[in-house]
Amino acid sequence: GENVEQHPSTLSVQEGDSAVIKCTYSDSASNYFPWYKQELGKGPQLIIDIRSNVGEKKDQRIAVTLNKTAKHFSLHITETQPEDSAVYFCAARLYSSASKIIFGSGTRLSIRP
Amino acid sequence: DVKVTQSSRYLVKRTGEKVFLECVQDMDHENMFWYRQDPGLGLRLIYFSYDVKMKEKGDIPEGYSVSREKKERFSLILESASTNQTSMYLCASSFSGNGETQYFGPGTRLLVL
């Protein structure tokens, strides 16, 4: 079946440094790629998304890039802060289902003071 | 402010019991989803519903059923709970028209003894 692979599973960075999380997807017809952040004790929350007709999108310290040819996309967080510590999930919407998305396995990001 | 609520944050049940997990959303969303979250496996879709009384199987429906009698409420039922159903269960909802952003509840951590 269709799947989304996410790496790394854990990531520890010094406060102020950048963090990068990478994902690959298998359904070449996927056209929408959201990123969710899950803080301790809460459900995941959408932080940024990108569609297949653009290569990059930025929102303050967060950016997402998409390479359709290689079928991979990445989340970049710059100037990391303690509140960035969380579990991050990438996801891809299946072309065959307008509402269904497939999630990656998650990355636990820790920011060291 | 969007809100998805789940009936319990923590639940302890015994093997063989019938378990009901309730989810309510106040956003008039057409789509509702049930996921289970396990370490290293990300979020896996159990069932989703795109309208009242409508349901579709997700990737791991075995051992589960669902009920959607009202638009705002989506129930997950474990007919006969087993220890391998010990997990975190997350409910989400989204609009059908531009149904990309999924809004999640806080989750129910279920322990089956």
Side-chain angles (χ1 to χ4, degrees):
Chain A
E2 305 299 344
N3 73 309
V4 175
E5 292 191 4
Q6 182 171 349
H7 300 280
S9 56
T10 60
L11 180 60
S12 178
V13 301
Q14 195 74 35
E15 183 178 349
D17 287 351
S18 296
V20 180
I21 302 170
K22 299 182 179 183
C23 292
T24 59
Y25 59 97
S26 59
D27 180 7
S28 56
S30 292
N31 57 10
Y32 173 70
F33 306 91
W35 286 87
Y36 284 79
K37 175 183 181 183
Q38 185 178 28
E39 297 176 339
L40 200 61
K42 297 183 179 180
Q45 186 173 10
L46 180 75
I47 55 170
I48 194 168
D49 54 17
I50 190 167
R51 298 174 197 282
S52 56
N53 57 349
V54 298
E56 184 175 4
K57 183 177 179 180
K58 282 185 181 177
D59 182 4
Q60 299 181 358
R61 295 186 298 105
I62 293 173
V64 58
T65 59
L66 172 65
N67 183 327
K68 285 170 54 180
T69 304
K71 292 192 287 185
H72 67 70
F73 56 115
S74 301
L75 178 71
H76 305 251
I77 306 174
T78 58
E79 300 173 14
T80 53
Q81 299 170 5
E83 55 264 35
D84 295 328
S85 293
V87 179
Y88 292 81
F89 293 98
C90 62
R93 180 171 64 185
L94 299 180
Y95 180 77
S96 58
S97 172
S99 300
K100 242 178 96 169
I101 58 176
I102 301 290
F103 286 88
S105 54
T107 296
R108 183 173 296 278
L109 174 63
S110 301
I111 308 300
R112 302 191 304 270
Chain B
D1 196 19
V2 293
K3 197 135 188 190
V4 179
T5 56
Q6 296 184 227
S7 51
S8 305
R9 294 300 303 269
Y10 301 95
L11 215 48
V12 180
K13 296 292 180 181
R14 297 209 174 272
T15 302
E17 278 193 77
K18 191 168 187 175
V19 182
F20 293 87
L21 302 182
E22 304 282 338
C23 175
V24 177
Q25 50 96 2
D26 66 357
M27 297 163 283
D28 203 34
H29 285 167
E30 292 83 7
N31 300 324
M32 295 189 74
F33 308 82
W34 274 106
Y35 295 89
R36 65 176 280 175
Q37 180 178 8
D38 300 288
L41 298 177
L43 278 66
R44 293 180 293 166
L45 182 65
I46 304 172
Y47 267 97
F48 72 102
S49 168
Y50 50 89
D51 202 350
V52 175
K53 296 192 186 294
M54 306 302 287
K55 61 185 179 185
E56 276 197 34
K57 292 181 180 179
D59 300 314
I60 51 165
E62 297 79 19
Y64 304 94
S65 63
V66 290
S67 172
R68 188 142 181 228
E69 296 296 319
K70 292 185 178 181
K71 190 175 185 180
E72 67 271 18
R73 189 179 297 269
F74 192 34
S75 302
L76 179 70
I77 303 151
L78 287 66
E79 295 290 343
S80 177
S82 63
T83 54
N84 62 13
Q85 293 179 308
T86 289
S87 186
M88 169 70 85
Y89 290 88
L90 289 162
C91 174
S93 69
S94 70
F95 282 116
S96 66
N98 186 20
E100 291 141 351
T101 304
Q102 293 190 13
Y103 297 88
F104 284 84
T108 295
R109 187 166 292 282
L110 173 67
L111 173 63
V112 182
L113 299 173

